[in-house]
């Protein structure tokens, strides 16, 4: 089969053997925001046409491709939901030459009835929790919109999203902090650790943000470490909030090492065990859901 | 005497009688960022020249005019500091035709040694706390950089700054929230109250920010109320953090009614008594410090 994690800015395609082995992969900057209206079939043909010509007949898509701005809108599936519910809720997509289906996103409500949504991460989570079906698991997917999910017996029971990555860019680029830091400066481990340590202190995030400015006024934070301090501060506040909601260690971190290593350092700062997920969790999840399609 | 609150973007000048009565006032968009290097004497002449020609001989300046980017840099005075310490720490500014002095800003450290700074607000606080010398007072000055100060027997004993106003602009304008809200929409009381109520719930600010996006995806927050929801959320988080540090009600709110009324509503949401400061607190503070100049 072919599995595709089709997000906002990029597309990752996998050709998968029947045991889930990744036979081939392609990653292209063809996120849904780059696709013209009506252009999805051509884009799929472009990235997976040769595999289809070679005989693949089943394609499973996950991610923002199932959003209102995507190919076909797949309604959010309410939690708790596991592989079986997700496979049963996939929806067919009209396409010539292969049977294409879309994985739905998930939704849940917190105890105050505020909604949550994800698209694509559910597939990565299913893959990341493979083999842990009997246990309670906490999975963290850092990013622009970081996700923390609780899974139990292979089903996502609830999750929270934090606007951490986007908040970093907005605050680093469009407040007085922009004068004292370079958002793309190399990672500075000490600055990051200082930010995490600050997040553990009282006073609140909005106060801690001004404190970074004040530290720089007194030359108590260097230009080299300021961006990492801000990153540590925001990630630290995210981790603190996630811990308050409750986690089941070790927290499984999913994502690119450049980012998950920061979350690993932050979790270390809070004394919480963690481990990295296996690579290619999206491919694993697509395979696992693909095996249970209707 | 002449008192001038000279900030980053605007300048408020007062001609004051010896009992502190405001005889005349001028407000011009001549904040320090609009002044060319070396242009401060001309700007002062421009705004207060006629008063000086009519016989005023003493001018007291407060605000960002005493910063590194201002006329002369006045070192920050450490807290606790009251009128007497502030008056003694004013510094002379060379000017032809009048005796000009600058009020220093204040600094303090929280229990974790992170520094805090203010410039100009100390003068407003002195004015706002006039007549309350024996009591413990909490003063809040909302703004881009909101200040919460504790005063005791007329002295500022400590304070915290929150980047609330700037964070609102950055998050409303430069994250996914920008798609669903109009930062300059009219104030929406219900949306604001919903944001404040959300701030009282667990989950953390970064999670609550994404929740606003999710509410809009499900049409559970209207476009009209979204900006006020965000404002209530941020101000609510600021107030919650300030209350955790401890306040002495009623909190005295200083500033323009359009903004202080939001803080009043947020404090109502937390059940904390508050009252508005008298108008012209900067003029009152300048007068009070002016009476004690060396």
């Amino acid at each position: 089969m072919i599995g595709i994690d089709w997000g906002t800015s990029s597309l990752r395609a996998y050709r998968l053997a029947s045991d889930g082995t990744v036979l081939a992969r392609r990653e292209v900057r063809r996120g849904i925001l780059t696709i013209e209206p009506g252009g999805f079939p051509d884009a799929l043909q472009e990235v997976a046409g040769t595999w289809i010509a070679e005989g693949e007949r089943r394609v499973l898509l996950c991610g923002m491709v199932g959003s209102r701005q995507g190919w076909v809108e797949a309604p959010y599936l309410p939690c708790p939901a596991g592989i079986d519910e997700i496979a049963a809720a996939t929806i067919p997509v009209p396409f010539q030459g292969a049977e294409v289906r879309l994985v739905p996103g998930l939704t849940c409500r917190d105890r105050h009835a505020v909604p949550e949504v994800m698209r694509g991460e559910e597939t990565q989570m299913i893959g990341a929790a493979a083999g842990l079906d009997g246990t309670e698991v906490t999975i963290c997917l850092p990013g622009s919109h970081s996700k923390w999910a609780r899974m139990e017996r292979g089903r996502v029971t609830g999750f929270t999203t934090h606007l951490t990555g986007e908040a970093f860019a907005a605050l680093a680029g469009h407040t007085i902090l922009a004068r004292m830091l370079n958002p793309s400066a190399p990672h500075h481990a000490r600055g990051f650790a200082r930010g995490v340590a600050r997040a553990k202190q009282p006073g609140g995030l909005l106060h801690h943000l001004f404190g970074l400015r004040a530290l720089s006024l007194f030359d108590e934070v260097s230009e080299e470490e300021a961006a990492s301090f801000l990153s540590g501060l925001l990630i630290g506040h995210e981790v603190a909030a996630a811990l308050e909601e409750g986690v089941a260690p070790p927290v499984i971190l999913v994502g690119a090492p450049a980012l998950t290593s920061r979350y690993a350092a932050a979790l270390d700062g809070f004394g919480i065990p963690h481990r990295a997920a296996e690579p290619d969790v999206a491919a694993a999840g697509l395979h696992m859901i693909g095996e249970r399609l209707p």
Side-chain angles (χ1 to χ4, degrees), chain A residues 34 87 185 215 250:
Chain A
T34 73
L215 284 168

Side-chain angles (χ1 to χ4, degrees), chain A residues 103 127 225 293:
Chain A
V103 174
E225 64 184 334
L293 287 183

